[in-house]
Amino acid sequence: MKKVFGYPEFSAEGERVLCTYDNEYSDMLMDVRVYRMKAGTTRTFQRTGEETAVLLLSGKIRYEWEGNAETVSRKDVFTEGPWCVHVCTGTEVKVTAQEDSEILVQCTHNDREFPAKLYKPEDAPWGYSCVGKFGNVAKRRVNTIFDHDIAPYSNMVLGEVLNDRGNWSGYLPHRHPQPECYYFMFDHPEGFGASFVGDQVFKSVDGSFSAIPGGALHPQAVAPGYQMYTCWMIRHLEGNPWLQTDRCEDERYTWLHDAEF
């Protein structure tokens, strides 16, 4: 059985590897890593035949790409919106930490050339989902940094979810044919939740992730008292991109839409 959960540690160089094209999570068809950067350090990202998104999770960094430069900051993922540079094959992104920072880097194969873009918090506003439904225990905030509607030239989707304390997300249990990766962070280091992938369940903790094969149901929940952040990353399939309308709820649970709580 393919592994669908991971608890990777940071290396001595500050790299946390989630999925790659040839590790046990290769079904994700993406390369996803998180980096801790000390103030004053620089990392450069450039891949041939792949597109790259560099998302700021926390701290203050200077992006440099295609002759552009922008210094951006984010206190944390729970209080401020996302900054992300998205570039095509062969384009270099240089990141210099102005203070201790964390970034997430998402890549996948894509030979298309397209204009680089810096996504700002106002480009991906938080919006509440499922307000008042299911006893209001599935209310959460969601943003979409880019998807097929926003960036039809991309082979990826990138967004974020904030679970309210004790609430569910990805609910009702739903599936789609495209693979998806979740990266979890909590507002307190001891925070935890539960992530379901098909019939498997694991304890989600700060820095853990789930690798969701296409077709698997994947709801999750967070413990009361804690706020959970999920970076959600989907890989489009050839001829079958993920669309916002592709969310397919399991028919066993759809009666809950009309239930009284």
Side-chain angles (χ1 to χ4, degrees), residues 109-246:
H109 295 298
N110 189 348
D111 290 321
R112 298 184 192 92
E113 294 186 359
F114 55 83
K117 180 164 183 178
L118 171 65
Y119 291 94
K120 304 176 182 181
E122 55 264 35
D123 296 322
W126 294 104
Y128 267 104
S129 178
C130 281
V131 175
K133 294 182 70 75
F134 320 125
N136 214 35
V137 297
K139 185 183 72 168
R140 69 273 192 185
R141 282 174 285 169
V142 183
N143 73 47
T144 303
I145 300 168
F146 62 85
D147 61 3
H148 189 263
D149 292 332
I150 296 167
Y153 41 76
S154 175
N155 285 339
M156 307 189 299
V157 178
L158 177 62
E160 301 177 312
V161 175
L162 286 177
N163 274 50
D164 283 357
R165 294 169 177 84
N167 275 15
W168 288 74
S169 62
Y171 202 83
L172 297 175
H174 70 284
R175 59 170 63 89
H176 43 75
Q178 300 82 7
E180 182 170 16
C181 181
Y182 284 162
Y183 179 65
F184 300 107
M185 299 175 70
F186 291 80
D187 60 347
H188 294 273
E190 77 279 11
F192 67 96
S195 179
F196 299 79
V197 179
D199 292 327
Q200 300 184 64
V201 60
F202 86 116
K203 182 181 179 180
S204 48
V205 297
D206 196 61
S208 63
F209 75 98
S210 57
I212 305 157
L217 295 174
H218 48 284
Q220 63 255 351
V222 63
Y226 298 99
Q227 197 169 36
M228 183 174 75
Y229 163 89
T230 306
C231 182
W232 53 283
M233 297 160 277
I234 298 176
R235 175 51 157 93
H236 297 308
L237 298 177
E238 186 68 31
N240 188 12
W242 180 86
L243 305 174
Q244 295 284 351
T245 54
D246 281 348

Side-chain angles (χ1 to χ4, degrees), residues 16-35:
R16 170 179 274 162
V17 178
L18 308 189
C19 52
T20 70
Y21 304 122
D22 53 10
N23 72 357
E24 57 265 60
Y25 309 101
S26 58
D27 285 356
M28 296 299 97
L29 306 176
M30 293 181 288
D31 187 299
V32 182
R33 304 167 193 241
V34 178
Y35 295 93

